[in-house]
Amino acid sequence: QKFVYSFTEGNKDLKDLLGGKGANLAEMTNLGLPVPPGFTITTEACKVFLETGSEPASLHEEISRHLVALEEEMGKQLGQADNPLLVSVRSGAKFSMPGMMDTVLNIGLSDASVAGLVAQSGNERFAWDSYRRLVQMFGKTVLGVDGELFEEALEEAKKAKGTELDLDLTAEDLRALVDTFKAIVLRETGREFPQDPREQMDLAIHAVFHSWNGDRARLYRRQERIPNDLGTAVNVCSMVFGNLGEDSGTGVAFTRDPSTGAVGVYGDYLSNAQGEDVVAGIRNTLQLSELEKLDKKSYDELMAIMHKLELHYRDLCDIEFTIERGKLWMLQTRIGKRTAAAAFRIAVQLVDQGLIDLDEALHRVTGGQLAQLMFPRFAPDASSKQVARGIAASPGAAVGKVVFDSYTAVKWSRSGEKVILVRRETNPDDLDGMIAAEGILTSRGGKTSHAAVVARGMGKTCVCGAEELEVDTKRRRFTTADGQVVEEGDVVSIDGASGKVYLGEVPVLPSPVVEYFEGTLHAGADVQGGLVQAVHRLVSHADVRRRLAVRANADNAEDAGRARRYGAQGIGLCRTEHMFLGEERRKEVEHLILADNDKDREQALSTLLPLQKGDFVELFQAMDGLPVTVRLLDPPLHEFLPDITELSVRVALAEARKDPNENDLRLLQAVHKLHEQNPMLGLRGVRLGLVIPGLFGMQVRAIAEAAAERKLGGGDPRPEVMIPLVGTVQELEIVRDECERVLAEVASSTGVELDIKLGTMIELPRAAITAGQIAEAAEFFSFGTNDLTQTVWGFSRDDVEASFFTAYLEKGIFGVSPFETIDRDGVGALVKLAAEAGRATRPDLKLGVCGEHGGDPDSVHFFHEVGLDYVSCSPFRIPVARLEAGRAAL
Ligand code: ADP
Ligand code: MG
Ligand code: MG
């Protein structure tokens, strides 16, 4: 098995094997771009290493062969005393995990070869600077020494010099610092900093392998849903030096603006620096456009390469480059992360440029991104106090209490607070705080700083580089330009689209994308650089492609109207329980529950009938011409009765006053009688219909009479009646007989022909398993995936999400909550089985989903795959479901 590939051997499609960085370094090499030569050790080697604890047997030898070839090409040997070759050892997994794993630069430097580097470069300061960077990085990432120790020593050296800048340290200072660093290594690890270059390289390779399982990397993967078993590749890349003087430097760039999609020159540049310095925000960077003045030749070459890359990848690329004494080198490229708005704009721009077609464009945007675009934005009013303006790094409107460290961010957010994480700059250790926070605010760093890149990847609001703010994390406060002090716990609002920072809570407005769906945006308005048009085009294209219909969960005319505007093709779930709430109706429900004879019961039902009917008339009107699936009463009855404690107190007080209330006493008895240990598994759904005579009949009558009334009025009502929580076909048959009798009665009494389908929910395992029988009595199935998930897993959502889900997620038992994304292997398998069995019995059986999963992107793809007819979700999720149903069909 081949474990090592030269950069000349790979290509961009080998990401599984070579990781993204390695595959793209190879691709750039093959495109003839200036990439420092090197080779990539595969993810397969990493997997073997992580499984067995040691390298595959052949690896050492294979690396040696590639190293010799590299040394021959470069005309120098790794760590050679008089003319050293130096390399970087870089992590690089299939999916980019910015800053989450390790990289070590300047491998090959030692007490002996540092002199060779001085001779090679004629620059003593540079050589010692590189060596101290090696000992520092190697000490921290490979040997596990606390990085702070090196930082402190570096700070001390600068203080002794009376400066704040690394650049003021002389060769002598740096040489002394190397000694200090080596002493730290010896003290902390009990061994000398390794002087053998090959040993350095091998240890660094192992460290990169290990970093795949580091805490940061694991957390990031969980957040981004990246599988845990992919492993990382390792790239060994000959060093080029941006820290060789003022004619050298290093930078990062995007081929387009990653927050808006606009074409132009975007990036940061730092002269006389090595790679890490840009991202770490150690010194403030220059804008890339200023490179033109510093080094026109390199700038022009860079622009030409960026253009070439964009045409080649047919997408936004981001790159890392280094200039060594006026010579440009490409160190990395990848398809760049971008904001949701930029994703839509860029996809459509590329279609218009003829680089990709609409299918490809649709493929490149996600429902998650569309959902982000539907969030509200700030509408500052006169009372909003703007205190700073930083860089708009990742859009969104975030309001929360200020916290200054990750730990507090996590703690406060667990207790339900919304927090804004404020840091001078973030580093990978801040990751869990960033996840917990509503938004991130930093006082240093540009669009490519750690905070910006990670926030964009997570779709989290971020303002970075707000330099007017003086952030003091030790005292947990920041100070604004005009001297105002903001303490931990104070509320701020940050606008990631404009970079503005406000004190206090700023009011919000609906997003233009929502206004577009609502139809309140006037036609042709060019909002946010064509964003709305881009959304329109891609969602419309999804409609052309998709096979799944999209319906809404809605119980009233207002939601139904919104659902229609958002593109719903019907209502997949109308819950009827709200029709039993409200002062007057609740009274009647109490009467119904307390009734101990037919007369009282019928009395209560006949009072409820016209009220329900009225609700249905409105709903059918709002959804005229489209199907409306009405679910008969589902929740346990005690939900309609007063709270047991309250009622007990009331009764006790009345008794103490010797003034007992007859009705309250009976209610209390009923409440006791109806009290259940596990209401979720108790008297509810079809079971209610079977034990409370006339209840379902009344509901079906209300539906039928409403439909008849609409028809007589010239409307086109299309109700469907749905029975919840069926476990066996017998339950359904009994209820069905009653429903059919009522429908026939209404048809004959009104003289209107009614075509109302009767179907059931599949939300119990037994129903799914016996779906073939149930389909005999059902004209449609709607999968209630919330209850199905609860009953298949045997846990109640209300209880478990707060208790052990976090632990389960942390232990990796779930990648994501099964209530959020359908559990394909368990719950999903039952859905598939029931769909097939149902259709075997009744080929024209309609199949839909009405759980929360209907609006979840991943789940929508699954429902498409198993051949359902529609998904139903909350009105606001409809555009997301339309888009994803289209993407699923590509
Ligand atoms: P990350 O994945 O965290 O970006 P990289 O492997 O890309 O880590 O490296 C970190 C930094 O070091 C980057 O800025 C990169 O450009 C720089 N770098 C990596 N290899 C070299 C090299 N051979 N010569 C010069 N700079 C390098
Ligand atoms: Mg990089
Ligand atoms: Mg249910």
Side-chain angles (χ1 to χ4, degrees):
Q1 192 178 356
K2 182 173 163 67
F3 288 114
V4 186
Y5 287 70
S6 159
F7 289 170
T8 55
E9 292 176 296
N11 67 60
K12 71 171 166 33
D13 300 320
L14 294 179
K15 289 198 185 70
D16 283 326
L17 197 60
L18 304 180
K21 199 179 287 170
N24 287 321
L25 280 167
E27 187 80 8
M28 288 201 291
T29 303
N30 297 334
L31 279 174
L33 302 184
V35 176
F39 53 85
T40 303
I41 302 163
T42 64
T43 53
E44 293 298 323
C46 175
K47 282 189 234 174
V48 173
F49 184 84
L50 292 178
E51 269 160 30
T52 66
S54 52
E55 292 182 356
S58 59
L59 187 62
H60 191 85
E61 173 54 30
E62 209 181 333
I63 292 177
S64 297
R65 266 189 281 120
H66 278 86
L67 184 58
V68 169
L70 181 64
E71 288 172 337
E72 274 168 13
E73 183 177 357
M74 304 300 288
K76 41 192 176 187
Q77 285 172 8
L78 184 69
Q80 186 183 337
D82 54 349
N83 184 24
L85 167 68
L86 304 187
V87 297
S88 58
V89 172
R90 318 169 63 185
S91 56
K94 175 176 182 186
F95 301 104
S96 133
M97 301 168 53
M100 298 303 146
M101 288 183 301
D102 294 339
T103 281
V104 186
L105 305 182
N106 307 324
I107 293 273
L109 273 178
S110 63
D111 294 351
S113 65
V114 68
L117 190 62
V118 173
Q120 225 177 45
S121 63
N123 184 333
E124 212 179 338
R125 184 193 179 277
F126 152 74
W128 286 99
D129 181 47
S130 303
Y131 194 17
R132 81 82 197 157
R133 286 171 188 265
L134 171 65
V135 183
Q136 179 171 1
M137 254 198 207
F138 195 94
K140 180 177 174 193
T141 56
V142 182
L143 304 176
V145 177
D146 180 1
E148 287 285 318
L149 298 173
F150 299 114
E151 292 291 346
E152 280 163 17
L154 181 61
E155 285 305 316
E156 248 161 58
K158 286 194 273 189
K159 218 183 254 165
K161 266 316 250 203
T163 178
E164 293 203 333
L165 289 180
D166 296 11
L167 287 179
D168 290 334
L169 296 178
T170 63
E172 248 342 284
D173 300 329
L174 291 162
R175 181 204 288 262
L177 206 50
V178 167
D179 286 337
T180 312
F181 280 10
K182 285 199 296 193
I184 293 175
V185 168
L186 181 59
R187 192 184 73 219
E188 294 294 312
T189 67
R191 52 191 276 202
E192 299 280 352
F193 174 78
Q195 292 291 324
D196 174 28
R198 178 65 196 261
E199 188 189 354
Q200 289 177 0
M201 189 172 100
D202 287 340
L203 288 175
I205 291 170
H206 295 174
V208 171
F209 284 157
H210 276 303
S211 68
W212 173 259
N213 279 333
D215 292 344
R216 282 187 264 132
R218 283 175 164 278
L219 179 61
Y220 185 82
R221 286 201 292 274
R222 197 159 66 228
Q223 175 80 10
E224 300 293 313
R225 303 190 192 177
I226 297 172
N228 266 321
D229 56 1
L230 301 176
T232 179
V234 183
N235 303 287
V236 176
C237 181
S238 43
M239 283 300 298
V240 291
F241 299 100
N243 54 337
L244 259 171
E246 287 306 312
D247 56 354
S248 303
T250 184
V252 288
F254 297 93
T255 55
R256 294 166 192 248
D257 186 337
S259 42
T260 66
V263 183
V265 185
Y266 300 94
D268 299 302
Y269 183 72
L270 200 55
S271 64
N272 203 1
Q274 244 182 6
E276 310 279 273
D277 303 350
V278 181
V279 194
I282 286 178
R283 275 180 278 151
N284 281 329
T285 53
L286 298 178
Q287 299 217 335
L288 182 59
S289 52
E290 297 186 45
L291 177 62
E292 186 169 20
K293 281 173 250 156
L294 296 176
D295 181 351
K296 174 105 170 84
K297 187 178 129 287
S298 297
Y299 178 82
D300 288 346
E301 189 183 354
L302 182 63
M303 290 301 128
I305 288 175
M306 278 165 51
H307 185 63
K308 185 166 180 171
L309 283 175
E310 191 165 282
L311 292 184
H312 182 72
Y313 284 91
R314 301 177 303 125
D315 206 345
L316 159 79
C317 297
D318 74 20
I319 60 169
E320 290 174 3
F321 65 94
T322 282
I323 297 174
E324 178 180 315
R325 290 186 166 152
K327 162 96 181 98
L328 174 70
W329 293 97
M330 300 297 293
L331 288 173
Q332 189 174 326
T333 192
R334 66 183 162 216
I335 305 296
K337 301 208 168 173
R338 64 205 69 190
T339 61
F344 276 82
R345 286 200 203 95
I346 292 173
V348 168
Q349 285 162 8
L350 293 171
V351 171
D352 292 340
Q353 275 179 260
L355 286 174
I356 61 174
D357 62 17
L358 269 172
D359 278 355
E360 175 71 35
L362 179 58
H363 180 70
R364 288 186 185 184
V365 294
T366 67
Q369 289 167 334
L370 182 55
Q372 272 184 43
L373 294 177
M374 295 174 70
F375 291 145
R377 61 200 156 113
F378 282 134
D381 59 18
S383 67
S384 310
K385 183 167 172 7
Q386 185 184 329
V387 291
R389 178 153 195 182
I391 294 165
S394 180
V399 182
K401 293 188 173 170
V402 169
V403 295
F404 292 92
D405 63 273
S406 210
Y407 176 77
T408 314
V410 171
K411 204 174 83 189
W412 288 23
S413 87
R414 287 231 170 110
S415 64
E417 299 277 10
K418 294 198 150 98
V419 301
I420 304 288
L421 179 64
V422 182
R423 304 282 290 163
R424 208 164 302 163
E425 63 224 3
T426 61
N427 65 51
D429 296 331
D430 293 320
L431 190 63
D432 39 7
M434 296 174 77
I435 292 171
E438 296 296 303
I440 297 136
L441 170 62
T442 70
S443 59
R444 300 176 102 174
K447 267 203 164 125
T448 50
S449 64
H450 177 266
V453 172
V454 174
R456 263 199 305 278
M458 299 195 298
K460 193 142 284 192
T461 305
C462 176
V463 172
C464 63
E467 291 177 17
E468 305 130 89
L469 301 180
E470 193 63 52
V471 178
D472 186 345
T473 47
K474 290 228 170 73
R475 295 168 72 188
R476 296 168 181 269
R477 60 207 275 185
F478 70 78
T479 315
T480 66
D482 58 5
Q484 186 152 357
V485 175
V486 178
E487 310 266 0
E488 182 174 79
D490 290 350
V491 172
V492 299
S493 302
I494 62 171
D495 184 344
S498 68
K500 291 180 183 167
V501 179
Y502 304 89
L503 284 191
E505 185 173 342
V506 172
V508 291
L509 268 187
S511 88
V513 171
V514 165
E515 291 180 302
Y516 153 72
F517 284 114
E518 288 288 356
T520 51
L521 204 66
H522 73 264
D526 179 33
V527 178
Q528 295 196 353
L531 174 62
V532 167
Q533 280 79 359
V535 168
H536 168 78
R537 280 170 71 183
L538 293 178
V539 173
S540 308
H541 187 63
D543 289 341
V544 173
R545 283 284 177 256
R546 69 190 160 91
R547 183 185 57 70
L548 278 177
V550 176
R551 295 195 192 178
N553 298 348
D555 334 322
N556 54 54
E558 189 191 329
D559 281 354
R562 164 162 303 121
R564 259 198 124 123
R565 292 194 293 280
Y566 285 30
Q569 293 156 288
I571 288 181
L573 175 63
C574 164
R575 300 179 172 89
T576 50
E577 39 271 27
H578 85 272
M579 302 176 183
F580 289 76
L581 297 177
E583 188 81 34
E584 175 193 11
R585 299 179 182 202
R586 213 186 249 271
K587 273 264 122 32
E588 288 313 319
V589 177
E590 282 180 17
H591 289 156
L592 177 67
I593 295 171
L594 297 179
D596 49 13
N597 58 64
D598 288 353
K599 199 172 133 276
D600 288 357
R601 192 176 300 114
E602 273 157 26
Q603 173 64 41
L605 286 172
S606 65
T607 318
L608 284 166
L609 177 67
L611 300 172
Q612 285 236 307
K613 180 179 159 188
D615 293 340
F616 289 130
V617 169
E618 274 180 31
L619 196 62
F620 297 159
Q621 185 162 13
M623 293 309 276
D624 197 59
L626 296 176
V628 175
T629 307
V630 180
R631 179 178 72 184
L632 303 188
L633 195 64
D634 183 44
L637 288 180
H638 66 80
E639 289 193 10
F640 302 98
L641 295 180
D643 176 72
I644 189 162
T645 333
E646 246 169 62
L647 190 60
S648 310
V649 171
R650 204 158 79 206
V651 168
L653 286 176
E655 264 168 16
R657 282 197 313 271
K658 302 243 180 318
D659 179 22
N661 177 318
E662 188 58 27
N663 200 54
D664 277 358
L665 274 173
R666 285 178 64 204
L667 263 180
L668 187 60
Q669 271 173 3
V671 171
H672 275 299
K673 205 172 102 203
L674 289 172
H675 177 77
E676 291 171 323
Q677 293 296 340
N678 293 307
M680 182 195 96
L681 299 175
L683 178 58
R684 49 170 290 212
V686 68
R687 303 161 193 170
L688 288 173
L690 291 170
V691 301
I692 302 184
L695 174 65
F696 278 12
M698 180 279 287
Q699 290 202 288
V700 171
R701 185 176 297 276
I703 293 167
E705 287 185 0
E709 186 177 315
R710 286 288 307 148
K711 267 202 171 162
L712 289 171
D716 181 12
R718 306 204 179 165
E720 303 171 338
V721 172
M722 177 157 84
I723 317 295
L725 216 76
V726 162
T728 159
V729 68
Q730 279 84 358
E731 292 169 314
L732 190 58
E733 280 167 353
I734 298 174
V735 171
R736 200 187 161 90
D737 284 347
E738 183 184 3
C739 293
E740 279 175 343
R741 193 172 38 74
V742 172
L743 289 177
E745 273 171 33
V746 176
S748 80
S749 68
T750 58
V752 177
E753 209 179 302
L754 293 171
D755 173 24
I756 299 180
K757 283 197 170 63
L758 290 171
T760 183
M761 293 190 69
I762 302 289
E763 51 187 341
L764 292 175
R766 192 180 192 288
I769 290 165
T770 60
Q773 295 165 19
I774 291 179
E776 307 266 3
E779 286 159 283
F780 64 88
F781 286 171
S782 177
F783 291 94
T785 51
N786 296 346
D787 268 314
L788 193 58
T789 300
Q790 299 200 85
T791 51
V792 166
W793 281 90
F795 44 47
S796 110
R797 175 179 190 158
D798 300 328
D799 297 321
V800 296
E801 283 194 330
S803 60
F804 64 81
F805 262 34
T806 321
Y808 266 43
L809 289 163
E810 267 159 22
K811 293 188 196 309
I813 297 170
F814 304 143
V816 52
S817 158
F819 289 114
E820 209 174 298
T821 294
I822 189 106
D823 150 36
R824 290 183 179 230
D825 297 342
V827 180
L830 276 183
V831 170
K832 184 161 183 279
L833 179 131
E836 283 164 4
R839 284 233 169 99
T841 301
R842 189 189 284 263
D844 63 348
L845 184 73
K846 266 244 174 219
L847 298 172
V849 164
C850 63
E852 228 98 310
H853 301 96
D856 168 68
D858 261 15
S859 312
V860 169
H861 285 250
F862 176 77
F863 300 135
H864 171 86
E865 283 161 32
V866 298
L868 304 195
D869 297 304
Y870 69 86
V871 293
S872 188
C873 57
S874 78
F876 277 109
R877 296 297 289 184
I878 285 170
V880 172
R882 285 165 65 195
L883 190 82
E884 288 294 350
R887 296 183 70 231
L890 287 177

